[in-house]
Amino acid sequence: MSIEMPRGLPFAVDTFGPYTTTKRRKRHHFLTHAHKDHTVGISPSNIVVFPIYSTSLTISLLIQRHPQLDESFFVRIEIGQSVIVDDPDGEFKVTAFDANHCPGAVMFLFEGSFGNILHTGDCRLTLDCLHSLPEKYVGRRHGVAPKCCLDYIFLDCTFGKSSHSQRFPSKHSAIRQVINCIWNHPDAPVVYLACDMLGQEDVLLEVSRTFGSKIYVDKATNLECFRSLMVIVPEIVSEDPSSRFHIFSGFPKLYERTSAKLAEARSKLQSEPLIIRPSAQWYVCDDEDDWESGSIQKQRKVRFSEAVKDEFGLWHVCYSMHSSREELESAMQLLSPKWVVSTVPSCRAMELNYVKKNCFISRFSPDDPFWKLLDIDMEVSPVAAADSHTVVLSCCLMSEEIILDSAKSKLEPVVESSSTKKKLLSLSPEKNLPVTLFGRARLSSQESDQLHERKVIHTQCVYTKTSLVSEKLNVKEVIESLQDDTKEETIEKGSCTSFSTCTSKETYKDLSGDLRKLYRSMNAPVPRPLPSLMELMNARKRSRNHLSF
C-alpha cells in the first residue's frame, strides 16, 4: 500500500487516483513494481495517469494481468538508467535502482528544484543494495556523513516497528535453509512450497536447480502465479502433477489446508508431505495477537538459522522481501537523510531511532527545498534589497473550495515584517521531537496543537479577502491569541506568572469560515479544546457544595 506524495511535487509514485476537487492530479506517474497493492487505479479508463514510468519486466507483468492495457501507455526506465523529465516547474532527473524486493522492482531517485528525493517503493536495503546508489549519497561508514545528503526518503517501513527487533537472515541464507529442510526429509513424497507470491521466484529457481526437477503449478487454481512464472522463469514450470515439487497457495486458510494435507496422508497410511512457507510474517507477528502464544513457540521464533515447524505441521523459513528494523537503521545511518517519510500509512518511520534523533522541522531554514515540497514558498521580497526587515510569505495550501471562492474576491499577498516571521517560526515545540509529513505526529497534545497553530498562521499570512470586509483575517489578532493559548499551556512550576488568555470556547468562535476551511483542507481537525481537568474538578466541587446545602 502506498501514500500520496506531497502537493508540492509534480509526480506521484505508486498512486493512480481517483482524483477529486480536493486531490490534485499529478503530471507524472511512476510505478516501482507489480504487486497489486501498488497498481490500484491503473486501467485504460483512467487515462489521466498515463504515461507511467516503470521497468520492462514490471510493464510485462502488468499487461499480462490486464490485457486491455497497451505498451504505449508506459515509458520504460531500466535499472541504472536516468531520464530527464520535462515539467512546467522545471525539468528534473529520475534514476532507477534495484530495490531488492521482487523481479522488476526499483527505487526512484528524483533530483530537481524540489531537492533530492529517494522513493524506495517496497525494498530490502542491504549493503549491496545501498552501494548501488550514487556514491555521493552514501556514507563510507556509520557516523560519517555522505558528501551530499538526501533531502527526503520515502521509506518502506513494513517491519520498522520497535517490536520488530529480529535480525533477518539474508535471502541467500534463507534459500539455503529451505534446501536443507528438503534434504532433511528424504521420505517426503511431495514437497509443497508456499511460494505463489511475486518475489519468491529465487526460492523456486534454486530448488529446481539443486534437485534437478521442475515445479508443478496448477493453472486451474493458481493461474496468476502460473502466468507470472512463465514470464520470469519459464524453464522451471511444469504442468505435470507427478512432479515432486508443487506450488502451494499461501492464502487463504494456509494452516487449515496444511492440517488437511497431513491428515489425509495419515488416513491413507502414507508418508507425510513436506510443506514449507518462506516468509517473514510468522516471525514478526505480535505474540499477544498470535494463535501461537505458548512459550515453546516464542522460543522457536527466535531461531532464524534453520527452518521451524509450527503446531500445524507447517515449516517456516524467514525469507523477507522487506528490510528488517536493523537494516533500516543501518541504511539511515549511511544515507543520513534530512527527513524520512514512511510509505506505509501507520507512520512507522517515527519509531526509528535515526528519525527520533535527527528529523526536526526546526532544522529547516526558510530557503530549504523542504517548504517547496509542502507547496509552501518562503521567499525574500524585492523590497528586501532596500529594507532587509521585509519578507513575503506565500502559501498554496488552500482547499479547492477557497480557490473557487477566490474567483469572486481578489486575493492579495500579505507583506509581513521579519519580526512577524520570527513570531511565526517561534511556535515550534520546545522539545525538538520528530514530526512526520503524514499521519499522526506522535507528540503530546500541547505540541500537536502548536503544530496546527503554525500551519494556520503560515496559511493566514498568504492571502486576505478584500471584497468581503467581514471575512478579513486579522493575522496580528490570531497570532496574539494563539501565543496567549500557548503561554497558558506551557507554564512551568517555579515560573508561574499571570497571562490574559482567551478560553478554548472563545478561540473556536473566533475562527472564521475561511480559517475552518483551511484546517479541513490540510486534514487537520478544527480546534475544539476540551475543558481543563481543573475546571472539571472545580465544577464538581461546586455541585457537591450546592447539594450539601
Side-chain angles (χ1 to χ4, degrees), residues 180-321:
N180 290 339
C181 184
I182 298 173
W183 281 121
N184 293 335
H185 296 81
D187 297 331
V190 181
V191 177
Y192 293 99
L193 300 169
C195 298
D196 61 335
M197 184 176 181
L198 180 65
Q200 297 175 314
E201 295 79 11
D202 287 343
V203 178
L204 302 176
L205 182 61
E206 197 62 33
V207 168
S208 177
R209 287 175 177 173
T210 302
F211 296 95
S213 173
K214 292 189 175 183
I215 299 173
Y216 170 68
V217 185
D218 188 355
K219 292 175 61 175
T221 59
N222 212 334
L223 180 59
E224 186 172 330
C225 177
F226 177 84
R227 288 177 173 175
S228 297
L229 290 176
M230 290 303 293
V231 172
I232 301 170
V233 282
E235 67 274 14
I236 71 169
V237 179
S238 171
E239 297 184 59
D240 182 7
S242 64
S243 174
R244 187 190 180 200
F245 299 96
H246 289 217
I247 292 290
F248 198 64
S249 297
F251 297 98
K253 299 181 178 180
L254 173 62
Y255 301 106
E256 290 86 342
R257 289 187 288 109
T258 297
S259 299
K261 282 285 186 185
L262 297 176
E264 180 183 3
R266 296 189 197 104
S267 65
K268 295 180 180 180
L269 301 179
Q270 298 175 348
S271 298
E272 294 183 355
L274 176 63
I275 307 176
I276 305 175
R277 184 194 185 192
S279 172
Q281 290 293 337
W282 182 75
Y283 292 85
V284 300
C285 58
D286 296 329
D287 289 326
E288 61 270 20
D289 298 329
D290 192 15
W291 35 260
E292 299 172 328
S293 56
S295 58
I296 296 178
Q297 291 294 344
K298 292 180 182 179
Q299 293 174 5
R300 286 180 176 177
K301 285 188 179 184
V302 179
R303 290 158 45 193
F304 292 90
S305 58
E306 59 184 351
V308 179
K309 186 178 181 180
D310 66 20
E311 62 183 19
F312 295 98
L314 178 64
W315 289 84
H316 296 270
V317 172
C318 188
Y319 179 85
S320 179
M321 295 183 287

Side-chain angles (χ1 to χ4, degrees), residues 321-376:
M321 295 183 287
H322 298 272
S323 303
S324 66
R325 178 184 173 87
E326 180 186 44
E327 289 170 337
L328 291 175
E329 293 283 11
S330 178
M332 293 304 97
Q333 291 292 337
L334 288 176
L335 297 176
S336 300
K338 296 180 181 178
W339 198 263
V340 182
V341 181
S342 173
T343 58
V344 291
S346 54
C347 285
R348 292 177 182 172
M350 290 293 301
E351 301 189 33
L352 297 178
N353 292 328
Y354 176 87
V355 175
K356 293 178 181 178
K357 295 178 181 178
N358 297 280
C359 297
F360 308 123
I361 279 186
S362 58
R363 294 191 176 185
F364 293 99
S365 60
D367 59 346
D368 196 281
F370 176 82
W371 305 111
K372 185 174 180 62
L373 180 144
L374 294 179
D375 210 5
I376 300 176

Side-chain angles (χ1 to χ4, degrees), residues 375-404:
D375 210 5
I376 300 176
D377 294 332
M378 302 180 66
E379 43 187 48
V380 180
S381 168
V383 186
D387 182 6
S388 60
H389 297 287
T390 305
V391 297
V392 175
L393 302 183
S394 61
C395 173
C396 300
L397 289 175
M398 300 180 63
S399 68
E400 298 296 332
E401 294 180 276
I402 297 179
I403 293 176
L404 293 176

Side-chain angles (χ1 to χ4, degrees), residues 486-521:
T486 305
K487 291 177 182 177
E488 183 181 17
E489 293 174 355
T490 56
I491 294 177
E492 297 180 353
K493 293 181 179 181
S495 60
C496 295
T497 57
S498 61
F499 295 95
S500 59
T501 62
C502 60
T503 63
S504 59
K505 187 174 181 180
E506 291 172 345
T507 302
Y508 179 73
K509 286 183 177 180
D510 289 341
L511 296 178
S512 68
D514 284 346
L515 194 53
R516 289 194 292 273
K517 289 180 182 178
L518 289 171
Y519 268 104
R520 297 187 183 105
S521 71

Side-chain angles (χ1 to χ4, degrees), residues 118-146:
L118 177 65
H119 194 295
T120 66
D122 284 353
C123 68
R124 182 157 185 193
L125 293 176
T126 60
L127 286 177
D128 290 339
C129 185
L130 289 172
H131 288 154
S132 69
L133 296 172
E135 185 178 353
K136 64 179 180 179
Y137 292 121
V138 184
R140 294 184 178 181
R141 60 183 183 277
H142 294 290
V144 179

Side-chain angles (χ1 to χ4, degrees), residues 379-381 387-394 413-424 457-458 460-464 473-477 479:
E379 43 187 48
V380 180
S381 168
D387 182 6
S388 60
H389 297 287
T390 305
V391 297
V392 175
L393 302 183
S394 61
V414 177
V415 180
E416 295 290 339
S417 67
S418 59
S419 59
T420 304
K421 179 182 174 184
K422 184 176 181 181
K423 291 180 181 179
L424 296 176
I457 294 174
H458 275 303
Q460 282 186 320
C461 289
V462 184
Y463 299 107
T464 178
L473 300 176
N474 192 322
V475 178
K476 183 176 180 181
E477 292 180 1
I479 292 175

